[in-house]
Amino acid sequence: MTTATSRRERLHTVIFQTDTPAGRRFDQTLLVVILLSLLVTIIDSIQSIHRDYATFLAWIEWGFTLVFAVEYLLRLYCSPRPLKYAFSFYGLVDLLAIVPGVLAIYYSDAQYLLIVRIIRMLRIFRVLKLGTYLRQAHYLLAALQGSKQKIIVFLVSVSTLVTVFGTLMYVIEGPQNGFTSIPKGIYWAIVTLTTVGFGDIVPKTPLGQMVSSVVMIIGYSIIAVPTGIFTAELANAMRGEQLKHDCPVCAKKHHEHGAAFCSRCGNALFAKQNDSA
Amino acid sequence: MTTATSRRERLHTVIFQTDTPAGRRFDQTLLVVILLSLLVTIIDSIQSIHRDYATFLAWIEWGFTLVFAVEYLLRLYCSPRPLKYAFSFYGLVDLLAIVPGVLAIYYSDAQYLLIVRIIRMLRIFRVLKLGTYLRQAHYLLAALQGSKQKIIVFLVSVSTLVTVFGTLMYVIEGPQNGFTSIPKGIYWAIVTLTTVGFGDIVPKTPLGQMVSSVVMIIGYSIIAVPTGIFTAELANAMRGEQLKHDCPVCAKKHHEHGAAFCSRCGNALFAKQNDSA
Amino acid sequence: MTTATSRRERLHTVIFQTDTPAGRRFDQTLLVVILLSLLVTIIDSIQSIHRDYATFLAWIEWGFTLVFAVEYLLRLYCSPRPLKYAFSFYGLVDLLAIVPGVLAIYYSDAQYLLIVRIIRMLRIFRVLKLGTYLRQAHYLLAALQGSKQKIIVFLVSVSTLVTVFGTLMYVIEGPQNGFTSIPKGIYWAIVTLTTVGFGDIVPKTPLGQMVSSVVMIIGYSIIAVPTGIFTAELANAMRGEQLKHDCPVCAKKHHEHGAAFCSRCGNALFAKQNDSA
Amino acid sequence: MTTATSRRERLHTVIFQTDTPAGRRFDQTLLVVILLSLLVTIIDSIQSIHRDYATFLAWIEWGFTLVFAVEYLLRLYCSPRPLKYAFSFYGLVDLLAIVPGVLAIYYSDAQYLLIVRIIRMLRIFRVLKLGTYLRQAHYLLAALQGSKQKIIVFLVSVSTLVTVFGTLMYVIEGPQNGFTSIPKGIYWAIVTLTTVGFGDIVPKTPLGQMVSSVVMIIGYSIIAVPTGIFTAELANAMRGEQLKHDCPVCAKKHHEHGAAFCSRCGNALFAKQNDSA
């Protein structure tokens, strides 16, 4: 084992893993750097600041781009299979964090590339060890899985409601009251049904206000449906009734995960083959 | 069995049923066509597009009307009882999808007929095989059934609140602050209670703002009521309520979910198989 | 038994009770008349209608006042203890439904008396036989009772939050941005925390917008608290775990309403005194 | 025991404790005084009142400052360890309630010190004996504890969503439509996601309105997540989770809520007393 190889391995542990103190410290530092770079991007978008500190902030952004570039090269260097990393999701995101900074030299209108930078924030999840969190919170996912079909029914119903009411309001109110087209009517229906209520487009005719009232009361009531579905599924998942097997004697449907006997009638849940032999 | 009859039967299977591959493909294609026709109607309502492409879009809409007309005639042709289909709900909806297109030739002001077209979107439910979904989601319906009476009490209370507060605000704020009539006050009360809050009519007097605060806090709090009702009912429906099993000794019919012994006579509800062996 | 007495008794059955067909019909008719009188009051507040039909609507309102007056006198006549009825809640409400109509002759500015009329709408509850509904929905009341203390804690917290944030925003934004006083700031905080968001007063300084964001996220999150409290209590009430008595053997806490033996271990919940004697 | 000492002790009981009638009365009086002083501060911020009654209100505020100062000195006097009280949380809050009033003599611009006064409102919790309430409502805290990790995942997701959508809207809409910077975009995203919807900044381009619709529907749907988490945890805390009882045969510790038999070895968890007799 040469020194170069062992150095690469040690670097790999630090950069890619989070279970050593050095690895944890590296990831935490990286998180801070990413947050700072995001902050600079956000602050740079404020006009009064951009006017006064544009050059200064450009230099800082350049610094961040350099740091991320070095980090990217190190990751390529210490990765056992560099190509696999380069084309993995995180590899591409890491590359995307550098490219806009480089492009900004040639094209000053880098405004639209800012959005690419923000994807880096996904790394927060890696640093926060969301894996551990999600393992703890697998109930959340189980609840979402269990309620998938019910939620599709709900979303289709909402889409239909929104299209129907959007068209209805376009016909009732018309362009002179701000409902200039059916898409605008649908936009208004979504704003109203979700109880956001911007107030940029409002019904002005009495009939339009009556239809709006119906939309609002529907929106206010059906918020109970996703909440109810999700809560009931989550409660179900948390109760941990995972073994679905009818007890042959008392027909109890759900049992503890590792149950061998029914907790209600005490009978064996599964016939023992050896006995019958 | 003549060739014509068997062709009609095969056509019937394709058009009316969804359990053969051909039938599935037909329904999926139809869904896409309906969605496209809806999209054209929606896009045509945008003034800038209507100005430039009115003739082009009119031709496309004509095409869709033709397609739907052919489909309608085919359905009549291959239906075993054409009249029953023609006067069924879906039969009337299918007819309504054609009529406005035909009428639009004579009356250019077909704007108000657009809304009829939208009913076709209900077919989405048929194509999505909502039947299967609803069978899966029969818990949702059971929960709604169980909470029907509680929801009526809730809606009556909301209506009363809205009328009382709408009148109160009309008296307090008066026409000079936008509350031009009691119906307008009721409209405002609905906008506020459902937490939509458009902001087209807002209280301006201190007393009006105090009353508004009460309305808002009531609206914010009572959203818990429908959610609570629905969730509790849904959880109940999903758990399967009570254990229905006659006690072998005292014949008590209903027991707690996890009951092993009868709560009336204390005898075991289920014989333990192992003991008898 | 004279004819007059029996006529009074029959009248009493019709007017005060709802368990005979005639009584039901009387109450349903009364409901329609009250709704119509409310509708007239509401419609009369619309200026364009008031301008054209003021005299006509005044006559109709006079008619309703007359009908209610006759009904009131009949109630007094057939009541076994007229004074007790006259000073009961419904008796006073019935009187209040007549008084404003009479007063309107002398004072044309009866606008502020409209609100008294609306109390009559409470009669809807009597006609709807809410009693029956409420008996069915006693779960709702049990849930509210059980969550009373938790809800007080919640409301005190919300009041504190609203006062603190209202003052904070008054200090930050100041009168030049619409926050003219602390009460106005509190009004704004209620509008924001309840997610109503009228938009009549909005933060304009960056610091104010940051504080607003905190208020909004708090408001969005704590809506879970009353919902959670109410749902959990309702689910509890619906499960009907009403007998709270620790089983002497297995310490099971909640039992069916009429339980004599524990459904988990089958032991008697209460020692039988006779046996020990 | 000298008279002074016993007087101090009696004073201590009255001022610091709430379990004697005198102590209760003292705390209730103090609550009223604090509320009145808050009310004066709030009312004084209304310009029309400040103009006319500034001197009068200043005198009243002076009176309150005096009362609180006397109370503070009494607390110091009767406290067994005055320094410990002086540096405790409540001791500092009590001091802070006096300082701004004193400072207001020298600096008329005491506007920014008003906010310090409001901290006194925390004393409401002490007077309300929140301790008793919280002991009753320990379920609420257990539910919050149990859902801590899930809520962190939720808040991180919301923050990410808000940053991404805020930047996206800044890029799409641009400064000409009110989205003058990314922070403003994030502020808009929070206003929209929480369904507050002030309407001070609204999307004007079709693409912006489409993205807004997505934000609104997300905001409307994910309100189910905190509600579901909290409700399920609260229901869990109120039901008392699992049965903790060692199986007499195999020593399995935790069992289903209603378990009568061990799900691992099938033996009865509780001996039946009647049988042994």
Side-chain angles (χ1 to χ4, degrees):
Chain A
M1 205 188 277
T2 67
T3 327
T5 317
S6 76
R7 202 205 295 139
R8 266 177 68 187
E9 267 174 11
R10 252 181 298 133
L11 212 61
H12 183 262
T13 313
V14 169
I15 292 179
F16 280 96
Q17 284 164 6
T18 54
D19 39 13
T20 61
R24 282 190 69 83
R25 231 176 299 127
F26 177 82
D27 271 353
Q28 281 162 1
T29 314
L30 190 63
L31 173 66
V32 172
V33 173
I34 295 168
L35 274 176
L36 283 176
S37 98
L38 270 174
L39 217 67
V40 168
T41 310
I42 287 172
I43 282 172
D44 194 26
S45 74
I46 303 171
Q47 273 178 322
S48 63
I49 289 174
H50 185 77
R51 208 175 41 229
D52 296 348
Y53 303 99
T55 330
F56 177 64
L57 288 170
W59 273 107
I60 293 182
E61 276 187 40
W62 248 107
F64 283 125
T65 305
L66 208 77
V67 168
F68 292 148
V70 168
E71 183 220 338
Y72 183 67
L73 291 175
L74 279 177
R75 276 180 194 273
L76 277 181
Y77 166 71
C78 73
S79 188
R81 274 171 296 175
L83 270 178
K84 202 196 152 195
Y85 161 71
F87 288 99
S88 74
F89 176 70
Y90 275 117
L92 291 169
V93 167
D94 292 350
L95 188 62
L96 274 170
I98 311 165
V99 171
V102 178
L103 284 177
I105 319 169
Y106 305 102
Y107 310 98
S108 60
D109 190 21
Q111 189 190 22
Y112 297 103
L113 295 159
L114 295 169
I115 202 126
V116 178
R117 257 281 158 85
I118 213 110
I119 309 175
R120 273 236 113 177
M121 247 187 75
L122 279 168
R123 196 171 292 268
I124 288 175
F125 289 102
R126 195 165 80 188
V127 178
L128 268 180
K129 294 209 287 172
L130 194 73
T132 326
Y133 268 80
L134 279 186
R135 228 170 299 139
Q136 273 263 358
H138 76 275
Y139 290 140
L140 280 178
L141 293 173
L144 281 174
Q145 283 259 303
S147 48
K148 211 176 62 184
Q149 282 193 312
K150 297 200 200 74
I151 281 169
I152 287 174
V153 173
F154 176 71
L155 283 181
V156 168
S157 311
V158 165
S159 305
T160 311
L161 276 174
V162 153
T163 314
V164 170
F165 279 111
T167 311
L168 201 61
M169 288 301 283
Y170 168 66
V171 172
I172 292 170
E173 293 278 329
Q176 68 275 17
N177 290 329
F179 292 79
T180 51
S181 63
I182 293 180
K184 205 133 203 174
I186 293 172
Y187 163 72
W188 172 88
I190 293 171
V191 168
T192 306
L193 197 82
T194 58
T195 76
V196 170
F198 280 135
D200 51 345
I201 313 169
V202 289
K204 293 204 178 95
T205 62
L207 185 58
Q209 292 177 345
M210 276 173 68
V211 173
S212 303
S213 300
V214 172
V215 175
M216 285 179 252
I217 285 173
I218 290 175
Y220 187 64
S221 303
I222 62 173
I223 207 168
V225 176
T227 306
I229 293 169
F230 186 75
T231 306
E233 285 287 348
L234 191 60
N236 219 15
M238 282 168 68
R239 229 178 302 122
E241 298 184 334
Q242 274 159 323
L243 176 60
K244 290 187 181 178
H245 177 84
D246 283 15
C247 171
V249 177
C250 74
K252 187 172 182 287
K253 274 181 192 162
H254 301 278
H255 305 273
E256 273 186 288
H257 191 67
F261 297 89
C262 176
S263 73
R264 187 155 69 190
C265 64
N267 285 295
L269 288 172
F270 306 96
K272 211 175 170 187
Q273 305 291 65
N274 306 17
D275 291 355
S276 61
Chain B
M1 204 187 276
T2 67
T3 326
T5 317
S6 77
R7 202 206 292 139
R8 265 178 69 187
E9 265 173 14
R10 253 180 297 133
L11 211 60
H12 183 262
T13 312
V14 169
I15 293 181
F16 279 96
Q17 284 164 7
T18 54
D19 39 12
T20 59
R24 281 190 69 83
R25 230 176 299 126
F26 176 81
D27 271 353
Q28 281 163 2
T29 313
L30 191 63
L31 174 66
V32 171
V33 173
I34 295 168
L35 274 176
L36 283 177
S37 98
L38 270 174
L39 218 69
V40 168
T41 310
I42 288 172
I43 283 173
D44 194 27
S45 74
I46 303 171
Q47 273 177 322
S48 63
I49 288 174
H50 185 77
R51 209 175 38 228
D52 296 348
Y53 303 99
T55 329
F56 177 63
L57 287 170
W59 273 107
I60 293 181
E61 276 186 42
W62 249 106
F64 283 125
T65 304
L66 207 77
V67 168
F68 292 148
V70 167
E71 182 219 339
Y72 183 67
L73 293 175
L74 277 179
R75 277 182 195 272
L76 277 181
Y77 166 70
C78 73
S79 188
R81 274 171 296 175
L83 269 178
K84 202 195 155 198
Y85 161 72
F87 287 100
S88 73
F89 176 69
Y90 275 117
L92 291 169
V93 167
D94 291 350
L95 187 63
L96 274 170
I98 312 166
V99 172
V102 179
L103 284 177
I105 319 170
Y106 304 103
Y107 309 99
S108 60
D109 191 21
Q111 189 190 22
Y112 297 104
L113 295 160
L114 294 170
I115 202 124
V116 178
R117 257 281 158 85
I118 214 109
I119 310 175
R120 274 237 111 176
M121 246 187 76
L122 281 167
R123 196 169 292 268
I124 288 175
F125 290 101
R126 195 164 81 188
V127 178
L128 268 179
K129 292 210 286 173
L130 194 74
T132 325
Y133 269 79
L134 280 187
R135 229 171 299 138
Q136 273 265 358
H138 75 276
Y139 290 140
L140 280 178
L141 292 173
L144 282 174
Q145 283 259 304
S147 48
K148 209 176 62 184
Q149 281 193 312
K150 299 202 199 74
I151 281 170
I152 287 174
V153 173
F154 177 72
L155 283 180
V156 168
S157 312
V158 165
S159 304
T160 312
L161 277 174
V162 152
T163 313
V164 170
F165 278 111
T167 310
L168 201 61
M169 288 301 284
Y170 168 66
V171 172
I172 292 170
E173 293 279 328
Q176 68 275 17
N177 290 328
F179 292 79
T180 50
S181 63
I182 294 181
K184 206 132 201 174
I186 293 173
Y187 164 71
W188 173 89
I190 292 171
V191 168
T192 306
L193 197 84
T194 57
T195 79
V196 170
F198 280 134
D200 51 346
I201 313 169
V202 289
K204 291 202 178 97
T205 63
L207 186 58
Q209 291 176 345
M210 276 172 67
V211 173
S212 304
S213 300
V214 172
V215 175
M216 284 179 252
I217 285 174
I218 290 175
Y220 188 64
S221 304
I222 60 172
I223 207 169
V225 176
T227 307
I229 293 168
F230 185 75
T231 306
E233 286 287 349
L234 191 60
N236 219 13
M238 282 167 67
R239 208 171 340 109
E241 280 182 284
Q242 286 183 300
L243 171 64
K244 288 182 186 179
H245 177 84
D246 285 13
C247 171
V249 177
C250 75
K252 187 172 182 286
K253 274 180 191 165
H254 298 278
H255 305 273
E256 273 186 282
H257 184 68
F261 297 90
C262 176
S263 72
R264 188 157 67 192
C265 64
N267 285 293
L269 288 171
F270 306 96
K272 208 172 173 191
Q273 309 286 65
N274 308 15
D275 293 353
S276 62
Chain C
M1 201 188 279
T2 66
T3 326
T5 318
S6 78
R7 203 206 293 137
R8 264 177 70 187
E9 265 173 16
R10 251 180 298 131
L11 211 59
H12 183 262
T13 313
V14 169
I15 292 180
F16 280 97
Q17 285 164 6
T18 54
D19 39 13
T20 59
R24 283 189 68 83
R25 231 175 299 125
F26 177 82
D27 271 353
Q28 282 164 0
T29 314
L30 190 62
L31 173 66
V32 171
V33 173
I34 295 168
L35 274 176
L36 283 176
S37 98
L38 271 174
L39 217 68
V40 168
T41 311
I42 288 173
I43 282 173
D44 194 26
S45 74
I46 303 171
Q47 274 176 323
S48 62
I49 288 174
H50 184 77
R51 208 176 39 229
D52 296 348
Y53 303 100
T55 329
F56 176 64
L57 287 170
W59 274 106
I60 292 181
E61 276 187 41
W62 249 106
F64 283 125
T65 305
L66 207 78
V67 168
F68 291 148
V70 168
E71 182 220 339
Y72 183 67
L73 292 175
L74 278 178
R75 278 181 194 274
L76 277 180
Y77 166 69
C78 73
S79 188
R81 275 169 295 176
L83 270 179
K84 202 195 155 198
Y85 161 71
F87 287 99
S88 74
F89 176 70
Y90 274 118
L92 290 170
V93 167
D94 291 350
L95 188 62
L96 274 169
I98 312 164
V99 173
V102 178
L103 283 177
I105 319 170
Y106 304 102
Y107 309 98
S108 61
D109 190 20
Q111 188 190 22
Y112 297 103
L113 295 160
L114 294 171
I115 202 126
V116 179
R117 257 286 156 83
I118 213 110
I119 310 175
R120 273 238 113 176
M121 245 186 76
L122 281 168
R123 197 170 290 268
I124 286 174
F125 289 101
R126 195 164 81 188
V127 177
L128 268 179
K129 293 210 287 175
L130 195 73
T132 326
Y133 268 80
L134 279 187
R135 229 170 299 139
Q136 273 264 358
H138 77 275
Y139 290 140
L140 279 178
L141 291 172
L144 281 174
Q145 282 259 305
S147 48
K148 208 176 64 185
Q149 281 192 314
K150 298 200 199 75
I151 280 170
I152 287 173
V153 172
F154 177 72
L155 282 180
V156 169
S157 311
V158 165
S159 304
T160 312
L161 276 174
V162 152
T163 314
V164 170
F165 278 110
T167 311
L168 201 61
M169 288 301 284
Y170 168 66
V171 172
I172 292 171
E173 293 278 330
Q176 67 276 16
N177 290 329
F179 291 79
T180 50
S181 63
I182 293 181
K184 205 134 203 173
I186 292 172
Y187 163 70
W188 173 88
I190 292 172
V191 168
T192 307
L193 197 84
T194 56
T195 77
V196 171
F198 280 135
D200 51 346
I201 312 169
V202 289
K204 292 206 178 93
T205 63
L207 186 58
Q209 292 177 344
M210 276 171 68
V211 174
S212 304
S213 300
V214 173
V215 175
M216 284 179 251
I217 285 173
I218 290 174
Y220 188 64
S221 303
I222 61 173
I223 206 169
V225 176
T227 307
I229 293 167
F230 185 76
T231 306
E233 286 288 348
L234 190 60
N236 219 15
M238 280 167 68
R239 226 178 305 123
E241 296 184 337
Q242 274 160 320
L243 177 60
K244 288 187 184 181
H245 176 83
D246 284 14
C247 171
V249 177
C250 74
K252 187 170 183 289
K253 274 180 190 161
H254 300 277
H255 304 272
E256 274 186 287
H257 191 67
F261 297 89
C262 176
S263 72
R264 186 154 72 190
C265 65
N267 285 294
L269 289 172
F270 308 95
K272 210 173 170 187
Q273 307 288 69
N274 305 18
D275 290 355
S276 60
Chain D
M1 204 189 277
T2 67
T3 326
T5 318
S6 78
R7 203 203 293 137
R8 265 178 69 188
E9 265 173 13
R10 250 179 301 133
L11 212 59
H12 183 262
T13 313
V14 169
I15 293 181
F16 280 96
Q17 284 164 5
T18 54
D19 39 13
T20 59
R24 281 190 69 83
R25 231 175 299 125
F26 176 82
D27 272 353
Q28 281 163 0
T29 314
L30 190 62
L31 174 66
V32 171
V33 174
I34 295 168
L35 274 176
L36 284 177
S37 98
L38 270 174
L39 217 68
V40 168
T41 311
I42 288 173
I43 282 172
D44 194 26
S45 73
I46 303 171
Q47 274 177 321
S48 63
I49 288 173
H50 184 77
R51 209 176 38 228
D52 296 347
Y53 302 99
T55 330
F56 176 64
L57 287 170
W59 273 107
I60 293 181
E61 275 187 42
W62 248 107
F64 283 125
T65 305
L66 207 79
V67 168
F68 291 149
V70 168
E71 182 219 340
Y72 183 68
L73 293 175
L74 278 178
R75 278 180 193 274
L76 277 180
Y77 166 70
C78 73
S79 189
R81 276 171 295 177
L83 270 179
K84 204 196 151 196
Y85 161 71
F87 288 99
S88 72
F89 176 70
Y90 275 118
L92 291 170
V93 167
D94 291 350
L95 187 62
L96 275 169
I98 312 165
V99 172
V102 179
L103 283 177
I105 319 171
Y106 305 102
Y107 309 98
S108 62
D109 190 20
Q111 189 190 22
Y112 297 103
L113 295 160
L114 295 171
I115 201 126
V116 178
R117 256 285 155 82
I118 213 110
I119 309 175
R120 273 237 112 175
M121 246 187 75
L122 279 167
R123 196 171 290 269
I124 287 175
F125 289 101
R126 196 165 80 189
V127 177
L128 268 180
K129 292 208 287 172
L130 194 72
T132 326
Y133 268 81
L134 279 187
R135 230 170 299 138
Q136 273 263 359
H138 76 276
Y139 290 140
L140 279 179
L141 292 173
L144 280 175
Q145 283 258 304
S147 49
K148 209 177 63 184
Q149 282 194 311
K150 297 201 200 75
I151 280 169
I152 288 173
V153 173
F154 177 71
L155 283 180
V156 168
S157 311
V158 165
S159 304
T160 312
L161 276 174
V162 152
T163 314
V164 169
F165 278 111
T167 312
L168 201 62
M169 287 302 282
Y170 168 66
V171 171
I172 292 171
E173 293 278 329
Q176 66 276 16
N177 290 328
F179 291 79
T180 50
S181 63
I182 293 181
K184 206 133 203 173
I186 293 172
Y187 163 71
W188 173 88
I190 292 172
V191 168
T192 307
L193 198 82
T194 57
T195 76
V196 171
F198 280 135
D200 51 345
I201 313 168
V202 289
K204 293 206 177 92
T205 63
L207 186 58
Q209 292 178 343
M210 275 171 68
V211 174
S212 304
S213 300
V214 172
V215 175
M216 284 179 251
I217 285 174
I218 290 175
Y220 187 64
S221 302
I222 61 173
I223 208 168
V225 176
T227 307
I229 293 168
F230 185 75
T231 306
E233 286 287 349
L234 190 61
N236 219 12
M238 280 168 69
R239 209 171 337 113
E241 278 180 287
Q242 286 182 301
L243 171 65
K244 287 181 187 179
H245 177 84
D246 285 13
C247 171
V249 177
C250 75
K252 187 171 183 288
K253 273 181 188 162
H254 298 277
H255 305 271
E256 273 186 282
H257 185 68
F261 298 90
C262 176
S263 72
R264 189 157 67 192
C265 66
N267 284 292
L269 289 171
F270 307 96
K272 209 173 170 190
Q273 308 285 66
N274 306 16
D275 292 353
S276 63

